[in-house]
Amino acid sequence: MSPVRIVARPAVREEMPVLRELYVQAMKPYIETIWGWDRDWQAQDFAKAYTTSATYAIELDAILSGYFQVDSGEDSDCLRMLILKPDARSLGVGAKVLAEILSISRDSGRELMLRVFRINTGARRFYAREGWVVSGKDEAFLRLAHSSQALSSHSKIPFTRNANSHAFVVS
């Protein structure tokens, strides 16, 4: 099998319905368990995040296969979402995408942080395998930092959503 070409590029508005469906498939079970699923609220929140966060489509060999979102704070970035279609999982794609996002943040002199639902054991295993450790927690989430970063107080910095470039190509 030949290597897959991974492209992360700014998402376009026309892709919003497809990426929203990915979000619903991936996140609804957790949100429903924790708070209950309010379809209208979720649709509004997704639309707001889609336009105010830096949203990137992930393509595998030119096929739309997922997305990620990054919010930027004063000294660090926050990976808001990283979602792949089920058929794009367990192929090493998520690890490569995550490594590129981390590298881009580091090259900008910024730390990268993320949150994961406490009850999302699959995501927790994935991030732990990729070197992410718990830097804080609340009732629903664990805040994670990469083990190569100093665990600092940045986990409480408010994040301003903007469009820093996290686009890349991995062949």
Side-chain angles (χ1 to χ4, degrees):
M1 181 198 267
S2 62
V4 174
R5 183 169 192 237
I6 303 168
V7 174
R9 56 158 178 80
V12 295
R13 190 150 194 72
E14 293 77 22
E15 293 168 324
M16 190 171 152
V18 173
L19 300 184
R20 172 155 163 56
E21 185 55 33
L22 282 176
Y23 170 83
V24 171
Q25 290 173 5
M27 303 304 287
K28 184 177 180 181
Y30 306 109
I31 294 170
E32 201 165 43
T33 299
I34 297 168
W35 299 293
W37 184 261
D38 180 329
R39 191 188 73 205
D40 293 336
W41 188 93
Q42 288 297 327
Q44 290 173 359
D45 188 61
F46 180 86
K48 178 182 175 191
Y50 193 85
T51 58
T52 60
S53 293
T55 302
Y56 295 87
I58 299 170
E59 295 179 349
L60 304 182
D61 290 335
I63 298 171
L64 183 62
S65 299
Y67 79 101
F68 67 90
Q69 293 174 310
V70 177
D71 294 335
S72 294
E74 189 75 21
D75 298 314
S76 57
D77 296 327
C78 180
L79 180 60
R80 180 180 169 84
M81 288 288 155
L82 171 54
I83 297 177
L84 295 173
K85 287 183 175 180
D87 63 351
R89 297 178 193 152
S90 300
L91 302 173
V93 173
K96 287 179 182 177
V97 168
L98 185 60
E100 287 295 321
I101 297 166
L102 179 60
S103 178
I104 290 166
S105 289
R106 283 183 175 160
D107 289 350
S108 300
R110 305 165 71 77
E111 289 185 12
L112 182 65
M113 311 300 276
L114 62 91
R115 296 185 321 165
V116 63
F117 285 124
R118 285 176 175 249
I119 64 172
N120 188 341
T121 56
R124 290 174 57 185
R125 275 192 309 272
F126 166 73
Y127 289 117
R129 191 171 53 244
E130 298 306 315
W132 292 79
V133 295
V134 175
S135 64
K137 49 184 127 180
D138 63 29
E139 202 170 300
F141 294 98
L142 297 175
R143 286 183 300 281
L144 305 180
H146 196 266
S147 58
S148 64
Q149 299 175 149
L151 297 181
S152 67
S153 62
H154 288 295
S155 59
K156 296 193 179 196
I157 290 176
F159 289 91
T160 304
R161 296 174 177 172
N162 66 25
N164 281 352
S165 180
H166 279 78
F168 57 85
V169 176
V170 178
S171 294

